[in-house]
Amino acid sequence: MKDDTELLAVEEARARTLALVQPLSTEWVRWEDALGRTLAEDVRAQRTLPPWDNSAMDGFAVRSADLSAPMPVRLRVGETIYAGQTPREQVRPGTCARIMTGAPLPAGADAVVMRERTRLTPEGDAVDILEGVGPGNFVRPRGEDAREGEVLLPRGTPLGIPELGLLLGQGRTSVPVPRRPRVAILSTGDELCPADAPAEGRIVDANAPALSLAVMRAGGLPSVLGIARDTREDVSRLLAAAEGHDLVLTSAGMSVGEHDFVREALAQLGVAQDFWRVAIKPGKPLAVGRKGGTLYCGLPGNPTSSLVTFELFVRPALRRMLGHADVEPPRVPGRLAGELKKAPGLDHYIRVTATWQEGELWARPLATQTSGALRSAASATHLLHFPRHSSRLATGDKVELLPLSWSA
Ligand code: AMP
Ligand code: MG
């Protein structure tokens, strides 16, 4: 076995994983399926929005030049223009029009005075303007949101709710995006049984369903291929069934135990291993390789280790396949509530529950940190990064926290 000095640093392992993938081919999808994905092409505006100058307030459309006299200024009131109507009259000197929010500005007018700054005469045919305004006051200019022909959103833009709203405002109901990664998931281990067929003396396969949920959350399309026995043949058989996917996730069988056949089976299949074993806890026995257009990630078997390595290495790779430029795990500053000790050498990712107190995020380590028990990951909100060379962290120390994509 290699000793710990030969382990790959976390950042390098992630950089090497990311170097093996790129955005997938483009497909057109309707807006309902586009949220969280990215634009595969520049999108140009097909129409100018708003299509005309319009009022930002309920009030009176005026000629601002009429309001240079001492206040109040009395103007004769012409037509009333509601949103959705077309103005019929021109606003001439000494007159104005009643106008509602969103209604087109009538010809002749260049400003809107809000109703609260006016007083209608009892007869209702004239209004006293109580405050002078300059040209453009409360006018939303034509083309403020979009001008026909301009690039509205460039390629690579992540599609959140306002972005999709903007595109729908253009009459675009479909958008070009990188297609979703197809991800094959397989578990390995003689001790495992499927959750819907639990067997005496066996352990339920928790990794395949957990990873498949994590893949869905990350925007991928998981397919669970099943459980391979701890034999070269059975691991190879399932790996063969996984060919053609964009990503293959295996769990367990990655160490140097006598029944750990995954790396051997991957090599036999022609997968070029890029690295194996990372200076991290939990999650050390991670292996990554590629064959053709398929990325292979051999994740550790311990349920929490497989989720931590998913978060730190697999999710970034899926995000890159989906066209995101920002793929690094998100981080926020916080402070440690408690004390942590370890030997230097590995980056530790400690499961914590972080709460906001007096302007800062305070991270409390969960009592169990074993990677075998999923319970140690339940109720964690963040992973606290306990750096490689550090051996002690004390209460109040500044720490880096990674928000988890697992939590509810
Ligand atoms: P291994 O890497 O094969 O030595 O497995 C490490 C530990 O994780 C062992 O205790 C396994 O029983 C456990 N394990 C492996 N795969 C799974 C799985 N799919 N679900 C739950 N536990 C697993
Ligand atoms: Mg095993």
Side-chain angles (χ1 to χ4, degrees), residues 187-188 191-192 203-207 251-254 260 301-303:
S187 304
T188 71
E191 74 279 31
L192 301 178
I203 287 172
V204 166
D205 171 14
N207 290 350
S251 71
M254 289 308 300
D260 292 338
N302 280 315

Side-chain angles (χ1 to χ4, degrees), residues 162-312:
E163 288 79 9
L164 287 166
L166 193 61
L167 295 172
L168 283 162
Q170 289 285 320
R172 283 188 178 266
T173 51
S174 310
V175 286
V177 294
R179 62 179 176 77
R180 293 187 185 278
R182 290 189 308 267
V183 183
I185 298 169
L186 55 108
S187 304
T188 71
D190 283 338
E191 74 279 31
L192 301 178
C193 62
D196 46 14
E200 191 65 36
R202 294 278 173 98
I203 287 172
V204 166
D205 171 14
N207 290 350
L211 289 170
S212 114
L213 291 172
V215 165
M216 275 191 256
R217 265 219 176 152
L221 302 170
S223 37
V224 172
L225 298 188
I227 300 167
R229 304 280 127 231
D230 280 326
T231 63
R232 224 171 261 111
E233 296 68 36
D234 211 35
V235 175
S236 298
R237 178 184 62 83
L238 273 197
L239 280 176
E243 281 202 89
H245 287 78
D246 303 300
L247 171 63
V248 178
L249 297 179
T250 67
S251 71
M254 289 308 300
S255 302
V256 286
E258 281 171 28
H259 288 165
D260 292 338
F261 292 120
V262 175
R263 289 177 56 246
E264 217 179 291
L266 285 171
Q268 219 169 45
L269 191 71
V271 175
Q273 178 180 296
D274 192 89
F275 65 85
W276 176 49
R277 301 177 91 236
V278 180
I280 185 178
K281 187 180 173 179
K284 190 157 76 168
L286 169 75
V288 168
R290 188 173 70 173
K291 181 189 174 192
T294 307
L295 179 74
Y296 288 82
C297 295
L299 308 183
N302 280 315
T304 295
S305 309
S306 69
L307 282 183
V308 169
T309 48
F310 181 92
E311 198 73 4
L312 296 179

